[in-house]
Amino acid sequence: MRGIVYLNGSLVHLHDATISVFDAGFQFGAGLFETLLCIDGTPRVLGRHLARLRGSAEKLGIPIVESDDELRTGITSVLKKNSLDHGQVRVKILATPGDITAYQPVRRPTLFITAEPYLRPALSMPWRLGLDGRVQGGPLTVHKSSSYLAARMALHSARLHGFDDMVLLDRNGNVAETSIAALLLFYRGRWIVPETPDALPSISRDILIEILRGKGANVATGVVTPERLLKSAILLSNSLLGPFPVHSINRVEVKALPEELLVDLRTQWLAYEPQPS
């Protein structure tokens, strides 16, 4: 991670960026985050990321005092100060309610922005998913919460057993997402978005769906059982990876998508610009 970060309205060196030990994020994991891709100094679909962040903040009672313009300026400043205003960069925004010992009317929420270079894996790299029947559920699954222990445990288990990521099931035993990405299946001639109450709304997958529909593809939403997942060609996607093909689940190879389609989807995903509303 580079040396200059944004903390509560100021640019500071990483070693000087401190928060109270009584910060709600440190004490309880009470916080939200967004991870986004910047290309040549420009945050991709920042408006969608900030809308998701603010929507969750409102529902969970986590105040964010900075305006969207201030957050955009904060990101741009961190990129420039770290000489990261070129190439591809991973930016993380973290928001918490701040020091819980401070008197409520004057409590300052915590807002933290970091940046580091990002190198995307090649499409040819085999991406191996684990599936161990692990279930996630509860009120936080639809928010990008910093209460991230369950997802980290799933990812740790996957890596421990030689996988890159773990499939997570919802409260009904159907496919929700993975610990780090959304899923999109190709099954019997159409693309399927898993219908589930227990997954984060995916900005990256929404972009991918727009691209596919623009190409005339049939994209539908439906319940995905683990059995159907194993019979499908599978893309996973997040805001850094973009569309990425799954090679196997529990070391059993799944159906492959044509290489030319994968290259085209990644190219269009990287070049995507939202249409003005």
Side-chain angles (χ1 to χ4, degrees):
M1 187 174 296
R2 294 299 174 94
I4 303 299
V5 300
Y6 174 102
L7 179 62
N8 294 343
S10 300
L11 295 178
V12 297
H13 193 276
L14 180 62
H15 297 305
D16 299 319
T18 59
I19 62 171
S20 168
V21 295
F22 295 105
D23 190 282
F26 180 76
Q27 289 278 335
F28 311 119
L32 295 164
F33 72 99
E34 287 289 328
T35 303
L36 57 123
L37 179 68
C38 292
I39 300 179
D40 294 331
T42 300
R44 298 190 74 243
V45 291
L46 179 60
R48 296 192 191 186
H49 282 281
L50 295 183
R52 184 169 68 179
L53 179 68
R54 292 191 186 279
S56 290
E58 182 177 352
K59 290 179 180 178
L60 298 179
I62 298 175
I64 297 174
V65 298
E66 288 82 0
S67 68
D68 283 6
D69 285 342
E70 287 172 323
L71 292 175
R72 183 182 292 275
T73 298
I75 292 170
T76 300
S77 299
V78 169
L79 294 174
K80 288 183 177 178
K81 286 292 185 179
N82 290 295
S83 300
L84 291 174
D85 49 352
H86 57 276
Q88 297 192 26
V89 177
R90 176 186 185 270
V91 167
K92 184 174 182 179
I93 306 171
L94 175 67
T96 84
D99 184 344
I100 59 174
T101 65
Y103 183 51
Q104 182 67 47
V106 297
R107 181 185 299 172
R108 176 51 162 102
T110 297
L111 198 292
F112 188 54
I113 301 174
T114 62
E116 59 186 341
Y118 179 69
L119 180 63
R120 185 173 299 99
L123 287 169
S124 58
M125 191 190 91
W127 197 273
R128 302 153 300 183
L129 290 180
L131 174 61
D132 64 1
R134 189 176 303 253
V135 174
Q136 71 169 10
L140 293 181
T141 55
V142 296
H143 303 289
K144 206 164 179 64
S145 167
S146 58
S147 299
Y148 207 58
L149 183 58
R152 292 300 301 178
M153 289 173 62
L155 183 59
H156 176 73
S157 178
R159 303 279 168 83
L160 191 64
H161 291 90
F163 305 122
D164 297 291
D165 196 3
M166 186 69 74
V167 177
L168 302 177
L169 306 181
D170 65 19
R171 68 191 74 178
N172 301 312
N174 297 313
V175 172
E177 56 190 349
T178 78
S179 70
I180 64 169
L183 292 168
L184 183 62
L185 286 61
F186 189 73
Y187 181 75
R188 293 186 176 178
R190 66 173 182 166
W191 294 93
I192 302 175
V193 179
E195 182 178 348
T196 174
D198 295 318
L200 180 75
S202 172
I203 294 169
S204 176
R205 186 176 59 195
D206 284 348
I207 292 171
L208 191 54
I209 290 169
E210 288 182 40
I211 293 170
L212 286 167
R213 285 180 170 157
K215 296 164 67 68
N218 180 2
V219 184
T221 300
V223 171
V224 175
T225 64
E227 292 74 23
R228 175 173 288 188
L229 183 70
L230 293 167
K231 296 176 181 178
S232 305
I234 308 164
L235 287 179
L236 53 79
S237 185
N238 63 30
S239 292
L240 296 175
L241 278 173
F244 204 92
V246 173
H247 176 266
S248 63
I249 298 178
N250 288 352
R251 298 186 177 84
V252 177
E253 289 189 21
V254 296
K255 296 180 180 179
L257 292 163
E259 181 179 0
E260 59 271 22
L261 172 62
L262 296 172
V263 171
D264 182 52
L265 288 177
R266 175 176 278 192
T267 301
Q268 291 196 50
W269 184 88
L270 284 168
Y272 175 84
E273 292 288 344
Q275 295 297 317
S277 55

